[in-house]
Amino acid sequence: MSVKAEVIRILEESKGESVSGSCIAKQLGVTRASVNKAVAALRAEGFCIDAVTNRGYRLTWESSAVSSTQIEAFLNTSILGQKLYVLDTVDSTNNYVKKLAAEGESEGTLVVAKHQSAGRGRMGREFVSQKDTGVYFSLLLRPTLCIDEALLLTSAAAVAVCRAVDALAKVRTEIKWVNDVYLGGKKLCGILTEAASGFESGGVEYVVVGIGINVANVPLDETIKSIATSISDNTDKRINSSELIACVVNELEKIYKNIGTREFMSEYRERSCVIGKRVNAIRAGVSREVYAEGIDDDGALIVINENGQREHISSGEVSIRAV
Ligand code: BTN
């Protein structure tokens, strides 16, 4: 890790408090001059670092915007995020990654945008992606899975988001099958997984996993307010967006490396807010009332249908019925 990334990590850990230059230099085993140089470079990148006389450097709270230096400082992965693009604005990070994938970009590439002008949700819906209110990012994966198993990546991403949000915000998130992360009964995060198949191999050529998490309060209209939430709606804890992204990616890599074992599926089930409930299962515009009995190891929803028969549903979405 560069001195710059190490310095920002130390300042982040003591955010709001001062750390002396000599203390940082000692921790990193570098000279005071190289700490000063790193601080100057970080300031040039836009970080707000105060120099407090006789006390040292202090990272101010305004520095929570997404930055590649901070994301790199918090990443501890060997595949995901090894190549990183941070964009001010883009139509959709999923579109951007698809273009990179077609050009042969390597597995694990992470694209983060501060704003998306045409963020996409599932079923052709729009995903509102304003600046400074959420995190929007996509990962390029090249797994050795068949196309049906690609559903597992969506489930894995949902568990990774839950773990990261819970750890940083000290909350308990849930998953609404198949890919929505809920907090306090409302949607906090959406995941859009898109796969391209290799015609010759019959397997997956690449998968793009796109994740959008609402971090700060957004001025929402009344309809959205009743169904969507943000981290700051649920906790006073300040969340560093770069740390949140890195934390999700770290968790996803842990799962991804052993995805074939499907071990994470027991956590997915524990976090499910639909198991044991009557739900509307919606597929191709048709809605049916069913009982959600469980979720199988491939991520399919096990339901008892209107005729009392058991079915495994692997696509579509559900809405929870009011009791
Ligand atoms: C949904 O809730 O229907 C899925 C929303 C997925 C949104 C993310 S934000 C990053 C990535 N880029 C997109 O255009 N969509 C995904």
Side-chain angles (χ1 to χ4, degrees):
M1 198 186 289
S2 65
V3 176
K4 210 170 65 172
E6 296 273 19
V7 169
I8 200 69
R9 187 203 271 277
I10 292 172
L11 292 178
E12 181 66 41
E13 277 166 8
S14 4
K15 204 154 183 195
E17 283 168 30
S18 308
V19 191
S20 74
S22 53
C23 178
I24 299 174
K26 202 167 155 199
Q27 272 190 59
L28 301 183
V30 299
T31 60
R32 276 290 309 265
S34 49
V35 172
N36 294 346
K37 199 172 148 205
V39 169
L42 288 164
R43 283 181 174 145
E45 274 183 37
F47 288 97
C48 303
I49 302 172
D50 292 345
V52 188
T53 320
N54 295 330
R55 302 182 83 173
Y57 296 116
R58 188 175 65 102
L59 185 64
T60 64
W61 283 112
E62 295 81 65
S63 300
S64 313
V66 174
S67 81
S68 53
T69 308
Q70 283 205 73
I71 294 172
E72 275 161 11
F74 287 110
L75 274 178
N76 53 37
T77 52
S78 61
I79 311 169
L80 307 189
Q82 293 306 297
K83 188 141 183 209
L84 168 65
Y85 297 80
V86 177
L87 312 170
D88 277 330
T89 186
V90 71
D91 56 350
S92 149
T93 53
N94 270 33
N95 293 352
Y96 197 90
V97 170
K98 279 193 202 169
K99 277 185 213 129
L100 293 176
E103 289 160 12
E105 187 64 271
S106 52
E107 158 150 276
T109 297
L110 168 62
V111 174
V112 178
K114 297 176 185 170
H115 164 260
Q116 295 185 118
S117 56
R120 294 189 291 110
R122 294 183 75 225
M123 317 283 173
R125 287 188 287 252
E126 178 195 9
F127 188 81
V128 178
S129 315
Q130 297 175 15
K131 192 169 181 286
D132 296 330
T133 60
V135 293
Y136 321 109
F137 58 103
S138 301
L139 282 155
L140 170 60
L141 303 175
R142 296 189 183 275
T144 46
L145 296 173
C146 65
I147 207 89
D148 294 345
E149 290 174 312
L151 179 65
L152 279 178
L153 294 169
T154 301
S155 312
V159 171
V161 169
C162 288
R163 287 183 188 170
V165 172
D166 289 11
L168 298 178
K170 309 285 175 242
V171 291
R172 175 74 187 171
T173 45
E174 298 182 305
I175 300 171
K176 182 170 83 66
W177 187 87
V178 51
N179 63 350
D180 288 339
V181 173
Y182 267 51
L183 182 55
K186 295 181 182 180
K187 178 164 165 170
L188 176 75
C189 158
I191 299 167
L192 178 65
T193 306
E194 299 179 287
S197 58
F199 284 117
E200 280 170 21
S201 64
V204 171
E205 189 191 333
Y206 66 83
V207 175
V208 180
V209 179
I211 300 175
I213 309 174
N214 303 326
V215 177
N217 292 323
V218 192
L220 299 169
D221 70 42
E222 288 305 314
T223 330
I224 300 183
K225 225 192 259 176
S226 63
I227 52 172
T229 193
S230 69
I231 296 180
S232 63
D233 276 335
N234 291 272
T235 174
D236 291 335
K237 273 190 89 59
R238 301 290 292 256
I239 299 298
N240 177 318
S241 294
S242 301
E243 184 175 14
L244 176 62
I245 294 167
C247 203
V248 173
V249 175
N250 291 340
E251 291 300 333
L252 184 56
E253 179 168 300
K254 282 189 220 157
I255 300 173
Y256 185 58
K257 281 183 164 169
N258 296 305
I259 194 136
T261 66
R262 290 152 163 79
E263 263 171 37
F264 71 98
M265 282 308 296
S266 48
E267 182 174 348
Y268 184 97
R269 281 187 281 269
E270 275 163 33
R271 290 182 178 274
S272 168
C273 59
V274 302
I275 294 178
K277 296 204 177 118
R278 295 208 72 76
V279 297
N280 290 321
I282 307 147
R283 194 164 35 171
V286 179
S287 175
R288 294 180 300 146
E289 190 193 329
V290 295
Y291 172 74
E293 190 185 51
I295 291 161
D296 70 20
D297 267 357
D298 293 327
L301 185 68
I302 309 168
V303 301
I304 305 296
N305 70 18
E306 51 279 47
N307 303 320
Q309 290 155 337
R310 184 166 290 116
E311 271 182 57
H312 290 236
I313 303 179
S314 53
S315 62
E317 58 186 353
V318 295
S319 68
I320 299 168
R321 294 179 63 84
V323 271

